[in-house]
């Protein structure tokens, strides 16, 4: 009994579970790096419009990359940022910037507001993603 409890504790402390090593929260927001989808969307085959990827630097979408969020103000778990991104999923494009309000609910959920009401996003474990998104996680930006 003691050995199994110690093994379970070691797994919890290292973040390793049934799906292998779990990424640790960190970067500009205390979120797990990876793919997030808007509330109500599935991880197995999400539409491009509902996907956000957090890489520790910023939140990119299907048609943006190399996003960098600069924190302008923080109140608890609410971050007001100016985020700049290359305005294309691939190829040459200008860098554009916008003001965002990101509220981190926990390491796997956040809301994002730019213009209008906030949208809730949730983390998708890598094993639940389609092959195309899994391979995108391995590619450098």
């Amino acid at each position: 009994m003691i050995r199994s409890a110690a093994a379970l504790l070691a797994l919890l402390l290292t973040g390793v579970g049934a799906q292998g090593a779990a990424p640790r929260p960190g970067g500009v927001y205390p979120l797990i790096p990876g793919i997030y989808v808007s509330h109500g969307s599935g991880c197995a085959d999400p539409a491009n419009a509902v996907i956000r990827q957090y890489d520790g630097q910023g939140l990119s979408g299907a048609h943006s990359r190399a996003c960098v969020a600069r924190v302008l103000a923080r109140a608890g778990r609410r971050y007001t940022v100016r985020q700049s991104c290359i305005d294309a999923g691939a190829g040459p494009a200008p860098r554009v910037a916008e003001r965002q309000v990101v509220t981190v609910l926990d390491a796997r959920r956040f809301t994002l507001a730019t213009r209008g009401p906030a949208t809730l996003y949730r983390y998708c474990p890598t094993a639940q993603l389609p092959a195309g998104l899994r391979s995108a996680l391995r590619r450098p930006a």
Side-chain angles (χ1 to χ4, degrees):
M1 179 71 165
I2 292 175
R3 282 189 182 175
S4 62
L8 177 60
L9 180 59
L11 286 174
L12 292 173
L13 291 175
T14 61
V16 176
Q19 296 179 9
R24 295 195 180 271
V28 70
Y29 307 117
L31 293 169
I32 295 172
I35 301 292
Y36 289 75
V37 297
S38 64
H39 179 73
S41 300
C43 296
D45 191 22
N48 283 345
V50 304
I51 298 170
R52 295 292 177 268
Q53 181 174 356
Y54 177 61
D55 63 2
Q57 300 292 310
L59 293 163
S60 60
H63 302 291
S64 63
R65 67 180 192 279
C67 296
V68 177
R70 184 172 57 90
V71 178
L72 303 174
R74 180 177 171 201
R77 294 183 156 266
R78 182 177 184 208
Y79 298 77
T80 302
V81 302
R82 180 159 184 80
Q83 177 169 278
S84 69
C85 301
I86 296 175
D87 196 24
R95 183 167 280 278
V96 296
E98 71 180 351
R99 184 181 168 114
Q100 299 176 335
V101 176
V102 176
T103 303
V104 177
L105 304 174
D106 56 46
R108 296 173 181 267
R109 295 180 310 137
F110 67 91
T111 64
L112 172 64
T114 52
R115 295 172 293 279
T119 301
L120 174 63
Y121 289 89
R122 67 180 179 85
Y123 176 75
C124 286
T126 304
Q128 294 179 15
L129 296 170
L133 284 176
R134 283 194 305 261
S135 65
L137 287 171
R138 294 184 197 101
R139 276 186 291 177

